[in-house]
Each structure stands twice: as structure tokens, then as C-alpha cells.
Amino acid sequence: MKELLDDLDRWRSAGTAVAMARVVDLEGSGPRSVGAAMAVTEDGEVSGSVSGGCVEGAVVVEALEVLATGDRRMVSFGYSDDEAFEVGLTCGGTIHLFIEPLDW
Amino acid sequence: MSTSAEQPTINQPLFDQLRDAIRAESPVALATVIEGEFTGAKLIVQPDAQSSGTLGNADLDRVVTRDARGELAAGRSGIRHYGLHGEAREGAVSVFIESFAPPPKMLIFGAVDFTAALARVAKVLGYRVTVCDARAVFATETRFPMADEVVVEWPNRLLDEVGSELGERDAICILTHDAKFDVPAVVSALATNVGYIGVMGSRRTHDDRTKRLIEAGVDEGGLARLRSPIGLDIGARTPEETAVSITSEIIARRTGRDAKSLTVTEGPIHG
């Protein structure tokens, strides 16, 4: 989260709604550790990352939904071997994310 | 669970407290309910201060405060499961405890060419870097602008002052390769609990230094703690390459890996 602080400060002082996605658990191989974080604004601006670029697009969609509904949620992404267009980690692991509005 | 006193409040300043502690490099943990009645409820935990916020129950707060301090001391983050009142071996509430430990420290002794390159790479890896040399002419902030701190002092004297603060995640790199400075610096470094002690020098310098260290009373256990000559065997030549060799050795020591090329090994890359 440390690397996001400047962006978070800027967005908060501008009154922009922000959702935070944090890696809370990893199974198997994953490119980023537990604690990796990504922030998404209501305008779709992004800071940070939660994987090596494999799932960030899908996280933006989830984060915007969280902002729209206000509902915090757990989201998991795993390996998808037979469905080429499914979102997943190419390295074979599963990451579990907690996504919530930055309203605290 | 219906009394209003137990309801977590939406508390905007929690983020400010967390941010300020992270920026001040003061140890802090953030506990968040990720599954349970009060999903999203938060507690900010510090080693020596009262916790702020609540997870929805005072007993749960107390147990999580204790656990989060343990996780923070170990620099670990992860999910823990509790009963509604903090009972162990129950699963009504899942709490994600995220530790924000202060950055690890690297002390570099010797204000030489290799020092600037090592300080740069160490900064990339997130270390708080101190450069120390007894020679005021060489140990200047102008020569080492990337360091967090440049100290003109004998290495052993600096370690007498700050050695007790060093732990498993920290590193001491002795680049002086001059026995006059090396031997007292190594002896003082061995008196700390620092995780990594690397000492630069050619094979010949290393052999000579080992003799002098034994004369100075360093035993076999002490010698075995030293990485000397410093660094992994990657054929590094320039100061920058040497810095990569040293920092790679520090990472491999921490992870307990035998640092071969990925080409000739099997198993997960990020393990």
C-alpha cells in the first residue's frame, strides 16, 4: 500500500471515490505477495497492481462494481487452462482479493 | 451483538492514522474483517499504543491486537479465523492482518566506488541505507546522495551505538577491504543479531583477514556467519554488477535458496 499513498491522498483530497483491492491470500505460485494492493477510482484511474498484469483488467471491473454498490467482497482468480479467454494467472496459482471502498 | 457500543463506526481518520504511521516508518498493522458480520470493520494495531477502531467486539479486538503485534514483529501478513468473541479454532470471523514493518536496514562500511552502486540497488530493494566510513573526506553526502544517512565514524563505534537495533531482516556490508577497518567492524557486527554480514575482498584478502579474525578471538561459529568474499558467484565485474551479486546473496540467504540459475532448477519461481 505504501506505493499507493501519494495517489490515494490526491484522490481523497479531490473527493474522488476510490476502491482498494488487496491480495489477502495466495495458493501456489503468484507473482505478487500477500499485501499487494491496487486502487481504482470511480473514473477508472488505477494505481498499483495485484498480479503480474494477468488479472488487473478484471479487478478494475470488480472494483467499479464495488464502488457502484458499496458492497465489500472477496474475489478469487485462478488458473484457467482450457478457456483461453478466461481471466486467470498464467503462472498456475490462485489469488484471493478483498475489494472495498476507501471509506474508512 | 445488537448493542450499539459494539457496532463498528465508519471512521475516516483510520486511514490517516495508517498512512501517517507508514510514512513515518513506524511499525503498524491493519486488521480488516473480510468475512463475518462486520465485514470491512478495522483495527489499527501498533506495538506500544492502544489500538484504534474496532472489529465489532471488544474481546475480538483484544485477541486480534495481541495476534497482530506478533505478526508485526515477524513482518508477516495473512488471514486468521476467530469466533465472534475472538475464540481460537472457530470460524465465524475471518480477519486479514496486514503488517507494515519499517524498512529493513543496510549498513555499508567503507565509502568506496562499490558503496554508491550497492546503496543504489539497496534503495531499489527498499532498504534504509547508512554509509559509514571513518574518513571524513570520503564519507560525504555529496558522494552518496542516495543513502539515507552518511556517518563519519569508525564502524565498530557506530555498531556499539546502533547494533542492538539490528535484526534478522537487516544487513551489514563491509566493503573497506582494509584489515585495519575490517577486523574491528566484523567483530562488532558478529556481536549483533543482524541477519547478513558480508565482507568484501579478494580470496587473498579473505585468507589474510580470516587469520586476523581468529587472532582477534572470532570462533568457527562466527566465521561461518560471514559471507566472505561477499556476493554470489555470477562473475560480477563492475560496481553495479557487484551490487547485484551482493543483494542477490542477501535475498538467497533470507529465502534459504541455493541460488542456482533458474534454467537448471525446478519448482515455483516466486516461492
Side-chain angles (χ1 to χ4, degrees), chain B residues 25 46-47 54 57 80 85 89 95 111 134 138 149 163 207 250 254 256:
Chain B
E25 297 183 349
Q46 294 183 285
T54 176
N57 175 275
R80 283 170 171 255
H85 302 87
R89 292 180 295 282
V95 177
F138 296 116
E149 192 183 23
D207 291 342
I250 294 173
R254 190 195 70 216

Side-chain angles (χ1 to χ4, degrees), chain B residues 117-142:
Chain B
L118 179 57
R120 261 198 308 276
V121 176
K123 284 311 293 176
V124 169
L125 294 175
Y127 282 88
R128 190 177 187 287
V129 176
T130 300
V131 172
C132 171
D133 195 304
R135 302 164 299 175
V137 170
F138 296 116
T140 64
E141 280 171 20
T142 322

Side-chain angles (χ1 to χ4, degrees), chain B residues 198-209:
Chain B
V199 200
M200 183 174 264
S202 64
R203 298 265 173 211
R204 208 174 52 130
T205 306
H206 164 79
D207 291 342
D208 172 58
R209 185 168 53 220

Side-chain angles (χ1 to χ4, degrees), chain B residues 145-222:
Chain B
M146 71 301 281
D148 295 285
E149 192 183 23
V150 180
V151 181
V152 181
E153 183 55 280
W154 283 73
N156 50 313
R157 288 203 193 137
L158 179 68
L159 282 175
D160 288 345
E161 254 175 64
V162 304
S164 62
E165 297 163 12
L166 299 176
E168 186 55 32
R169 302 160 65 231
D170 304 318
I172 294 176
C173 299
I174 301 171
L175 309 187
T176 37
H177 54 84
D178 174 337
K180 176 163 85 253
F181 295 100
D182 280 0
V183 171
V186 169
V187 170
S188 301
L190 285 171
T192 72
N193 292 320
V194 74
Y196 174 94
I197 307 171
V199 200
M200 183 174 264
S202 64
R203 298 265 173 211
R204 208 174 52 130
T205 306
H206 164 79
D207 291 342
D208 172 58
R209 185 168 53 220
T210 303
K211 274 187 219 131
R212 289 166 186 264
L213 286 170
I214 293 168
E215 282 163 20
V218 174
D219 63 12
E220 231 168 89

Side-chain angles (χ1 to χ4, degrees), chain B residues 62-84:
Chain B
R62 199 155 40 238
V63 174
V64 171
T65 295
R66 183 198 65 202
D67 290 351
R69 284 182 179 153
E71 294 290 274
L72 189 52
R76 272 194 312 258
S77 297
I79 300 173
R80 283 170 171 255
H81 306 281
Y82 302 94
L84 292 174

Side-chain angles (χ1 to χ4, degrees), chain A residues 1-2 4-9 12 20 22-25 28-32 34-37 72-74 91 96 98 100-104, chain B residues 10-16 18-19 22-23 25 30 32-35 39-42 44 77-79 96-98 100 103 268-271:
Chain A
M1 191 182 301
K2 190 176 181 180
L4 306 186
L5 291 179
D6 288 345
D7 284 331
L8 293 178
D9 267 349
R12 285 169 85 241
M20 288 270 297
R22 288 185 284 157
V23 177
V24 298
D25 201 10
S29 185
R32 299 288 314 270
V34 166
R72 309 173 131 80
R73 63 178 76 164
M74 289 285 297
C91 47
H96 302 281
F98 183 67
E100 62 175 343
L102 184 58
D103 58 2
W104 41 280
Chain B
I10 296 295
N11 195 347
Q12 185 70 11
L14 279 184
F15 176 80
D16 292 348
L18 178 70
R19 178 201 58 201
I22 294 173
R23 284 228 169 100
E25 297 183 349
L30 173 66
T32 307
V33 176
I34 59 171
E35 273 161 338
T39 296
K42 288 184 175 60
I44 289 184
S77 297
I79 300 173
F96 175 52
I97 298 176
E98 184 172 5
F100 299 90
I269 291 178
H270 305 292

Side-chain angles (χ1 to χ4, degrees), chain B residues 37-56:
Chain B
E37 193 181 346
F38 300 126
T39 296
K42 288 184 175 60
L43 191 67
I44 289 184
V45 179
Q46 294 183 285
D48 306 311
Q50 211 183 338
S51 298
S52 319
T54 176
L55 303 179

